[in-house]
């Protein structure tokens, strides 16, 4: 099931997408859809502060170990009807995490997905790849990916996207996960979540820049652009070869229009912005879209569709 967005730009689930006010600001911006912070079964405070360094030295990007702070799915179910009044798709990002209810992860995904569909969400983005929880992300285990997708795709009718981790260090796993996805009716994969297990050091204080998980967190922003492009391209080529109608949404390293163009050429049909949105707020969508349109015009194209996957070999 395809999701068409205009413009083909959304926020990446995470920055500025937790509260109703933040989501309303996305709704009022030029973004093509509203993507919520990943909601869990129970509300979560997230990891201890400091847990986000928005600007790494040299503007390499951002580093976080937020730990999925969010209001819990019941609150987001209340927001959805109000957000839909803005006339753009509302995409509910869903994750599992340890919870007082002690529900196993598969049941958490199932319960949240069914409730969120009832609340009127236009699509669900299954976040299987948060790098900042104690457990290894579901995205790293094909059997668990299969179990979540079986539970959710059998239960809901709205389009489903899957947010994946980078597999650049584990090529065999890429193949297993990509093949697993073929067995399900999925609208898109969003790739990549932040690059896990990364570290930065503040030279003024000689401390790690974030506290949780021994200072290790997920890296986003310009430093991960080549990794994201590679993942987008691998999935795009794989799905083309298999004649699978699964779109690829590119996430990672987009801070200029040219970065988004690279994502489209690699095979993304939609781009999501995380660090750029963290840095610049809702005006980032308009600015990016204007830049993308200018690039298209200057290079003789009239739409993003014309360049999706059109990178040339040398
Ligand atoms: C977090 O809340 O820890 C970040 C979410 C994610 O990267 O999936």
């Amino acid at each position: 099931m395809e999701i068409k967005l205009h413009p083909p730009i959304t926020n990446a689930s995470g920055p500025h997408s937790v509260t109703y006010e933040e989501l309303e600001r996305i709704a009022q911006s030029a973004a093509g859809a509203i993507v919520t912070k990943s909601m869990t079964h129970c509300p979560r405070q997230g990891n201890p502060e400091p847990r986000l360094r928005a600007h790494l030295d040299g503007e390499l990007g951002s580093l976080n170990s937020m730990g999925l702070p969010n209001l819990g799915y019941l609150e987001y179910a209340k927001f959805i009807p109000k957000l839909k009044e803005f006339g753009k798709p509302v995409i509910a990002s869903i994750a599992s995490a340890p919870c007082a209810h002690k529900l196993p992860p598969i049941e958490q995904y199932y319960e949240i997905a069914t409730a969120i569909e009832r609340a009127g969400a236009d699509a669900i983005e299954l976040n299987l790849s948060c790098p900042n929880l104690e457990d290894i992300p579901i995205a790293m285990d094909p059997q668990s990916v299969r179990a979540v997708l079986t539970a959710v795709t059998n239960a809901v009718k709205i389009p489903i996207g899957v947010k994946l981790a980078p597999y650049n260090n584990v090529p065999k796993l890429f193949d297993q996960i990509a093949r697993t996805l073929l067995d399900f009716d999925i609208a898109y994969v969003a790739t990549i979540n932040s690059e896990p297990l990364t570290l930065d050091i503040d030279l003024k204080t000689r401390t790690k820049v974030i506290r949780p998980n021994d200072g290790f967190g997920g890296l986003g922003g310009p430093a991960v652009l080549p990794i994201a492009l590679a993942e987008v391209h691998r999935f795009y080529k794989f799905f083309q070869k298999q004649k699978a109608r699964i779109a690829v949404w590119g996430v990672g390293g987009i801070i200029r229009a040219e970065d988004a163009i690279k994502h489209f050429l690699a095979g993304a049909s939609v781009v999501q912005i995380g660090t750029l949105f963290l840095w610049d707020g809702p005006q980032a969508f308009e600015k990016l879209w204007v830049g993308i349109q200018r690039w298209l015009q200057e290079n003789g194209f009239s739409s993003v569709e014309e360049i999706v996957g059109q990178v040339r070999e040398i």
Side-chain angles (χ1 to χ4, degrees), residues 79-305:
F79 297 167
I80 287 169
K82 284 193 278 178
L83 290 170
K84 277 173 70 88
E85 287 172 16
F86 289 87
K88 56 178 76 170
V90 178
I91 302 177
S93 173
I94 297 177
S96 68
C99 182
H101 300 143
K102 300 211 179 331
L103 270 186
I106 313 295
E107 286 171 40
Q108 293 183 31
Y109 280 105
Y110 170 85
E111 273 198 20
I112 302 171
T114 49
I116 283 301
E117 180 181 52
R118 276 197 304 274
D122 297 285
I124 285 170
E125 185 172 289
L126 296 171
N127 181 357
L128 305 182
S129 51
C130 176
N132 303 323
L133 302 174
E134 269 170 37
D135 291 342
I136 293 172
I138 284 175
M140 305 313 279
D141 175 30
Q143 276 178 358
S144 302
V145 170
R146 178 172 294 284
V148 173
L149 291 178
T150 303
V152 177
T153 56
N154 283 331
V156 303
K157 293 197 169 54
I158 53 178
I160 295 169
V162 184
K163 176 90 170 269
L164 294 172
Y167 297 108
N168 52 307
N169 290 328
V170 274
K172 262 199 197 142
L173 189 54
F174 169 85
D175 213 61
Q176 289 170 346
I177 296 291
R179 283 185 192 286
T180 303
L181 299 176
L182 295 179
D183 293 339
F184 297 94
D185 186 6
I186 290 167
Y188 70 90
V189 300
T191 184
I192 56 173
N193 205 324
S194 55
E195 180 67 26
L197 291 171
T198 57
L199 176 75
D200 197 14
I201 295 169
D202 187 322
L203 284 184
K204 276 196 220 103
T205 55
R206 297 194 298 283
T207 58
K208 296 170 177 177
V209 298
I210 57 171
R211 189 186 306 279
N213 300 333
D214 209 15
F216 290 85
L219 177 68
V224 305
L225 178 64
I227 300 171
L229 291 175
E231 293 294 281
V232 164
H233 194 51
R234 286 206 296 175
F235 273 109
Y236 177 78
K237 280 191 15 182
F238 180 85
F239 292 146
Q240 289 283 108
K241 194 163 164 201
Q242 301 295 330
K243 299 195 174 7
R245 296 188 58 218
I246 303 176
V248 183
W249 289 17
V251 202
I254 299 167
I255 59 158
R256 303 165 310 149
E258 287 77 6
D259 305 324
I261 297 291
K262 288 184 185 181
H263 269 268
F264 295 134
L265 289 169
S269 46
V270 169
V271 290
Q272 298 189 327
I273 55 169
T275 298
L276 176 64
F277 182 41
L278 177 69
W279 287 351
D280 290 359
Q283 57 153 359
F285 300 105
E286 172 80 22
K287 215 169 139 201
L288 195 61
W289 182 226
V290 168
I292 290 168
Q293 287 171 295
R294 185 179 310 124
W295 188 94
L296 290 172
Q297 201 184 24
E298 285 171 2
N299 289 277
F301 299 104
S302 52
S303 70
V304 166
E305 285 84 23

